[in-house]
Coordinates of all heavy atoms in Angstrom, one line a residue:
E34 N 15.7 29.9 19.1 CA 16.4 28.8 18.6 C 15.8 28.0 17.3 O 16.4 27.5 16.4 CB 16.8 27.8 19.7 CG 17.8 28.4 20.7 CD 18.5 27.4 21.6 OE1 18.1 26.2 21.5 OE2 19.3 27.8 22.4
G35 N 14.4 28.1 17.4 CA 13.6 27.5 16.4 C 13.9 28.2 15.0 O 14.1 27.6 13.9
T36 N 13.9 29.5 15.1 CA 14.1 30.5 13.9 C 15.6 30.1 13.4 O 15.8 30.0 12.2 CB 13.9 31.9 14.2 OG1 12.7 32.0 14.8 CG2 14.1 32.8 13.0
A37 N 16.5 30.0 14.3 CA 17.9 29.8 13.9 C 18.1 28.4 13.3 O 18.7 28.2 12.3 CB 18.8 29.9 15.1
Y38 N 17.3 27.4 13.9 CA 17.4 26.0 13.3 C 16.9 26.0 11.9 O 17.5 25.4 11.0 CB 16.6 25.1 14.2 CG 16.5 23.7 13.7 CD1 17.6 22.8 13.8 CD2 15.4 23.3 13.0 CE1 17.5 21.5 13.3 CE2 15.3 22.0 12.6 CZ 16.4 21.1 12.7 OH 16.3 19.8 12.1
R39 N 15.7 26.6 11.7 CA 15.1 26.6 10.4 C 16.0 27.3 9.2 O 16.2 26.8 8.2 CB 13.7 27.3 10.4 CG 12.6 26.5 10.9 CD 11.2 27.1 10.7 NE 11.1 28.3 11.3 CZ 10.7 28.4 12.7 NH1 10.6 27.3 13.4 NH2 10.5 29.6 13.3
A40 N 16.7 28.5 9.7 CA 17.6 29.1 8.8 C 18.8 28.2 8.4 O 19.2 28.3 7.2 CB 18.0 30.4 9.4
I41 N 19.3 27.6 9.4 CA 20.5 26.7 9.2 C 20.1 25.6 8.2 O 20.9 25.2 7.3 CB 21.0 26.1 10.5 CG1 21.8 27.2 11.3 CG2 22.1 25.0 10.2 CD1 22.2 26.9 12.7
K42 N 18.9 25.0 8.4 CA 18.4 24.0 7.5 C 18.3 24.5 6.0 O 18.7 23.8 5.1 CB 17.1 23.4 7.9 CG 17.1 22.4 9.0 CD 17.7 21.1 8.4 CE 18.2 20.1 9.5 NZ 19.3 19.3 9.1
E43 N 17.7 25.7 5.9 CA 17.7 26.4 4.6 C 19.0 26.5 3.9 O 19.4 26.4 2.8 CB 16.9 27.6 4.7 CG 16.8 28.5 3.5 CD 16.1 27.8 2.3 OE1 15.2 26.8 2.5 OE2 16.3 28.3 1.2
A44 N 20.0 27.0 4.8 CA 21.4 27.2 4.4 C 22.0 25.9 3.9 O 22.8 25.9 2.9 CB 22.3 27.8 5.5
E45 N 21.7 24.8 4.5 CA 22.1 23.5 4.1 C 21.6 23.2 2.7 O 22.2 22.7 1.8 CB 21.7 22.4 5.1 CG 22.6 21.3 5.3 CD 22.3 20.4 6.4 OE1 21.7 20.8 7.4 OE2 22.6 19.2 6.2

Side-chain angles (χ1 to χ4, degrees):
E34 291 195 358
T36 305
Y38 174 78
R39 283 191 295 277
I41 289 172
K42 278 288 159 213
E43 175 62 21
E45 216 171 327

